[in-house]
Amino acid sequence: MAEHARELVKTNGFEHVVEVIEGSMEDITLPEKVDVIISEWMGYFLLRESMFDSVICARDRWLNPDGVMYPSHARMWVAPIRSGLVDQKKIDYDRAMDDWSHFVNETKTFYGVDMGSLTKPFTDEQRKYYLQTSLWNNLHPNQVIGKPAVIKEIDCLTSSVNDLLSLQANISSNITAENTRFCGFGGWFDVHFRGRKENPAKNEIELTTAPSEDLGTHWGQQVFLFYPSTRVSQGDNMTMNFSMNRSKENHRLLEVEFDCELRQSSGNSLPSFSKKFYIE
Amino acid sequence: MAEHARELVKTNGFEHVVEVIEGSMEDITLPEKVDVIISEWMGYFLLRESMFDSVICARDRWLNPDGVMYPSHARMWVAPIRSGLVDQKKIDYDRAMDDWSHFVNETKTFYGVDMGSLTKPFTDEQRKYYLQTSLWNNLHPNQVIGKPAVIKEIDCLTSSVNDLLSLQANISSNITAENTRFCGFGGWFDVHFRGRKENPAKNEIELTTAPSEDLGTHWGQQVFLFYPSTRVSQGDNMTMNFSMNRSKENHRLLEVEFDCELRQSSGNSLPSFSKKFYIE
């Protein structure tokens, strides 16, 4: 990457302006403090892969007191969605379990070996893989069935790694679609180029990865599918406790929990439900 | 894995017979030397991932002087093939290069930045990815257009890691299909359960991953596609120098070279050609 960057600087005649410094942000030493840090650190659902850690390190070590970050701000969003994928994943899971059951029977019948004691761990593994792993998806706006809500706002100038280790949010979303299925949540982010109060951008720019009717973005949306789906309708209200933590085994992986309550427009409350997901 | 194995031993009532020892083959110490080493170490095209190294280590450290290896022998095969994939991969490559060319033009036009100096490394990267990386494939027997040839025989009892670091073979294969395209080579392997001379198996068994009309095996075949394809016919003779070496960067990856000569049944020799591939 650095080699290619150097080549580009040279062939475009900016050797006297641009110096390429090669190395991990955590290791390198810059010749002086900097006025601007511009970085494309955003992973799926903003924080997947935890690349912002290195940008924070760069900021704390090398940004001038009045320097600016670009992007300067970021927000994470979730919204209730409908999606046919929830059925597909259940079918995939059922098929995997059928195959296993067939395998256990054959192994017993033909070889006299009872594999049944592995059914529990196999089931857990398949459930995690098919039903509890969030997916990359390009949602169409009409798959969003309730009001999107912000679950985290990040000021890139002041956020610390600690602020991002464990996210918590309580949100409420009114269902806006008539008589449909609630199949889980879609998550996305936007970033802003505002600069800072002492040093604002001339033109404020917002880039969003929200569901769109056109081709969408590289990031798409992260979807968390709840099986079984729930019948909902316009005017129903969803309240939700969201939490996101880094996996203990690998800090680049994330674990997410949703605790939901649905109050129907009739006044009825459905039993609350809780779902855990892995962002891998 | 060890945990599941222990559970299986227990629930099948073999605790007094089977002891599960957990650890890397290179690190563990066994209570005594063993009479049999049975291992499923075979990767795609037999040697991909170089897992046999650990089995050799186990053998040299722990097998009794008259102990047996299962499988006891293995052979690697190649044969000339035809495959529509060769066209698909060329289309994919051309599309990637068109996209790049479009990107370079846009970047120049809209941002005044000339990315053209990266065209050479980008081309090399795409060529490697689309045209020089061997593929997993399930070949149908009628895609094999010439006589298969053995390029390596391994006696699991005596082979050393050194024997496998660098393979060389000179083979000759007569084209057996009438008026068809030579699109490259397919590679596969078989393994044998013969035991050893002093301690032979009661029933010798051969397992093969050769192209088949049924569902094939997990291993399928490794295909090396030569673009452009060459028109061949029954009676033509292909001679080929094959070499396979471990990648310097990662010893689990392999690099393969084919030097081919085709002598047509008319007596004509086509210009010889040479292709390099990566097994990733």
Side-chain angles (χ1 to χ4, degrees), chain A residues 4-5 7-8 11-12 108 112-118 121, chain B residues 4-5 7-8 11-12 108 112-118 121:
Chain A
H4 292 333
E7 181 62 27
L8 280 182
T11 56
N12 283 276
K108 181 78 188 159
V113 176
D114 183 359
M115 305 286 284
S117 60
L118 296 188
Chain B
H4 291 332
E7 182 62 28
L8 280 182
T11 55
N12 283 277
K108 182 77 188 160
V113 177
D114 183 0
M115 305 286 284
S117 60
L118 296 188

Side-chain angles (χ1 to χ4, degrees), chain B residues 20-244:
Chain B
V20 177
I21 298 171
E22 187 174 352
S24 292
M25 199 58 242
E26 288 75 4
D27 302 329
I28 58 171
T29 299
L30 301 188
E32 57 185 337
K33 293 228 170 185
V34 303
D35 299 321
V36 184
I37 292 177
I38 181 159
S39 171
E40 195 288 274
W41 51 267
M42 296 84 75
Y44 294 145
F45 199 37
L46 191 61
L47 295 180
R48 183 173 167 272
E49 291 192 24
S50 306
M51 290 181 290
F52 192 46
D53 292 9
S54 295
V55 180
I56 291 177
C57 168
R59 180 196 69 195
D60 291 346
R61 291 181 62 197
W62 298 109
L63 189 65
N64 271 327
D66 58 349
V68 288
M69 305 287 290
Y70 284 112
S72 59
H73 299 78
R75 290 184 300 185
M76 294 170 70
W77 294 82
V78 294
I81 59 163
R82 59 184 159 205
S83 169
L85 282 175
V86 75
D87 308 308
Q88 189 54 54
K89 288 291 149 184
K90 182 57 167 50
I91 289 167
D92 293 344
Y93 168 77
D94 287 342
R95 186 171 299 145
M97 290 311 302
D98 283 349
D99 285 351
W100 171 259
S101 160
H102 189 69
F103 169 71
V104 170
N105 286 337
E106 293 228 310
T107 309
K108 182 77 188 160
T109 308
F110 294 117
Y111 306 106
V113 177
D114 183 0
M115 305 286 284
S117 60
L118 296 188
T119 295
K120 171 74 171 62
F122 183 82
T123 306
D124 291 347
E125 186 185 274
Q126 301 302 305
R127 183 182 298 277
K128 181 175 174 183
Y129 181 70
Y130 288 112
L131 304 179
Q132 296 191 277
T133 299
S134 69
L135 301 170
W136 184 96
N137 198 228
N138 248 327
L139 292 170
H140 187 274
N142 72 16
Q143 291 184 266
V144 175
I145 60 166
K147 214 166 164 297
V150 171
I151 50 169
K152 179 73 179 173
E153 297 205 49
I154 295 174
D155 182 338
C156 300
L157 199 59
T158 58
S159 274
S160 68
V161 172
N162 265 342
D163 294 339
L164 305 173
L165 288 182
S166 182
L167 306 192
Q168 302 280 342
N170 289 300
I171 63 153
S172 168
S173 172
N174 284 320
I175 300 298
T176 51
E178 193 53 68
N179 189 24
T180 187
R181 294 195 305 160
F182 165 74
C183 301
F185 286 92
W188 62 87
F189 65 90
D190 53 25
V191 292
H192 301 257
F193 294 70
R194 289 184 209 147
R196 63 195 288 173
K197 217 194 293 176
E198 308 87 332
N199 200 354
K202 263 187 208 153
N203 303 303
E204 191 173 311
I205 286 172
E206 174 183 335
L207 302 177
T208 179
T209 64
S212 72
E213 290 181 46
D214 62 18
L215 290 170
T217 66
H218 154 79
W219 289 271
Q221 291 81 43
Q222 201 74 19
V223 301
F224 304 88
L225 299 173
F226 287 25
Y227 182 86
S229 58
T230 308
R231 190 52 56 181
V232 294
S233 204
Q234 200 168 2
D236 294 353
N237 178 260
M238 170 83 67
T239 55
M240 192 260 285
N241 261 320
F242 171 91
S243 71
M244 185 163 107

Side-chain angles (χ1 to χ4, degrees), chain A residues 99-119, chain B residues 8-14:
Chain A
D99 286 349
W100 171 259
S101 158
H102 188 69
F103 169 72
V104 170
N105 286 337
E106 293 228 311
T107 309
K108 181 78 188 159
T109 307
F110 294 116
Y111 307 105
V113 176
D114 183 359
M115 305 286 284
S117 60
L118 296 188
T119 295
Chain B
L8 280 182
V9 168
K10 194 173 150 190
T11 55
N12 283 277
F14 283 94

Side-chain angles (χ1 to χ4, degrees), chain A residues 34-39 55 58-60 62-63 67-71:
Chain A
V34 303
D35 299 322
V36 184
I37 292 176
I38 178 157
S39 172
V55 181
R59 180 197 69 197
D60 291 347
W62 298 109
L63 190 65
V68 288
M69 305 287 290
Y70 285 111

